[in-house]
Amino acid sequence: MNENDIMSKSTSRRGILRGAGAMAGASLVTVGASLSSASFAQAQEPPSKGVWKFAECALLLVDYQPEMLRAVRSETSSALIELNVRFLIRAAKAFGVPVILSTVGVGGKVNSPTVQAIADELPGTTAIDRSTMDAWEDVNIRSAVEKAGRKRLVFAALWTEICLAYQIIDALRDGYEAMFVVDAVGGLSQVAHETAIRRLIQAGAIPNTSRAMIDEWFRDWKTPQGTEYRAISAWYGSELQKLAGASGSMGG
């Protein structure tokens, strides 16, 4: 075999190897694109069909304590968060939606109890105090949820990125549906709040707002719930005006 034959065979082998490498690379790109498309499609798939009815839901309110409210630095002010939580409670009570209230670190003297304005909306209700930031890890919380017997859970908690996010992700893992009320929660910063919202949506939770949540619960003005809501809505509007007046008087 002469030198030209050897060079020709070597070139041929390199061509075959390059071709095989290109084919393998193309296959990996195709697989990667397919997986990305599947993941994107899965993320965009609606986590729940149909609007939520009050008879299907329980409301979980977690860590509405002075220390948490004072530290909120995201879009909704602590005063409006507090009002929206009270709005949710009044509607839940009127519609027969079970309300589970929880605090963290009160027994260990780390934090104070639930702020008085929210506690006053739930007379006779004892907050379930925990040591864990993930309420879903607390056996008493889980027991209260199971006792309520509702698979659709509406969550509001402080802060968005910690005590709201952790419990929802675990509840979803355990087969519950989760909706969270974005204007009744807040984070330590706007970026923390928004990042948590994106994380929760990606996990399969559904965002909502306080008024939209309540309207979704009753939906029909002709029902007894619609009649009950008229008084609650009037109260809420009046409280909003007071907040606006207070902000104006402070130059806000």
Side-chain angles (χ1 to χ4, degrees):
M1 182 180 293
N2 60 36
E3 184 178 349
N4 289 336
D5 290 335
I6 293 171
M7 290 179 65
S8 177
K9 288 180 180 290
S10 176
T11 301
S12 178
R13 287 194 196 98
R14 285 199 299 270
I16 291 168
L17 289 172
R18 279 198 299 271
M23 289 175 65
S27 298
L28 288 171
V29 168
T30 302
V31 170
S34 175
L35 288 172
S36 297
S37 298
S39 300
F40 180 78
Q42 187 176 21
Q44 299 303 307
E45 184 178 338
S48 176
K49 295 182 179 179
V51 294
W52 287 29
K53 302 173 183 177
F54 63 84
E56 301 171 321
C57 298
L59 174 64
L60 278 75
L61 304 174
V62 175
D63 301 350
Y64 287 94
Q65 298 161 258
E67 295 84 358
M68 282 62 164
L69 280 164
R70 283 197 299 267
V72 168
R73 296 291 181 271
S74 50
E75 182 179 0
T76 308
S77 70
S78 58
L80 184 54
I81 287 171
E82 185 178 306
L83 177 57
N84 287 338
V85 171
R86 295 172 65 200
F87 189 31
L88 288 166
I89 292 170
R90 291 197 177 202
K93 288 166 63 178
F95 304 162
V97 174
V99 180
I100 298 167
L101 179 67
S102 182
T103 54
V104 65
V106 176
K109 302 187 185 304
V110 178
N111 296 314
S112 307
T114 304
V115 294
Q116 197 60 50
I118 291 175
D120 286 346
E121 299 288 349
L122 294 165
T125 298
T126 301
I128 300 170
D129 192 49
R130 327 175 312 278
S131 61
T132 173
M133 296 181 198
D134 183 352
W136 204 254
E137 292 176 338
D138 186 272
V139 65
N140 294 315
I141 293 288
R142 293 295 304 277
S143 177
V145 170
E146 289 166 9
K147 184 178 178 181
R150 309 289 176 90
K151 294 296 287 184
R152 286 184 155 178
L153 305 179
V154 178
F155 291 88
L158 298 176
W159 297 300
T160 319
E161 65 271 26
I162 300 173
C163 294
L164 181 72
Y166 300 165
Q167 63 177 329
I168 289 178
I169 289 168
D170 277 350
L172 289 166
R173 176 202 61 200
D174 290 344
Y176 288 84
E177 292 182 83
M179 187 174 284
F180 60 100
V181 186
V182 294
D183 60 353
V185 304
L188 291 172
S189 68
Q190 187 64 24
V191 70
H193 175 73
E194 290 175 352
T195 300
I197 288 172
R198 288 195 294 270
R199 181 184 183 186
L200 287 168
I201 292 171
Q202 186 179 40
I206 307 165
N208 211 340
T209 60
S210 54
R211 184 177 286 276
M213 181 75 260
I214 294 167
D215 285 6
E216 185 167 343
W217 273 340
F218 81 88
R219 293 199 303 285
D220 188 342
W221 289 109
K222 293 180 181 178
T223 62
Q225 290 74 31
T227 301
E228 291 272 4
Y229 180 62
R230 285 183 175 88
I232 298 167
S233 181
W235 166 82
Y236 182 67
S238 174
E239 294 298 311
L240 280 176
Q241 288 295 324
K242 292 177 187 177
L243 274 184
S247 297
S249 66
M250 293 185 292

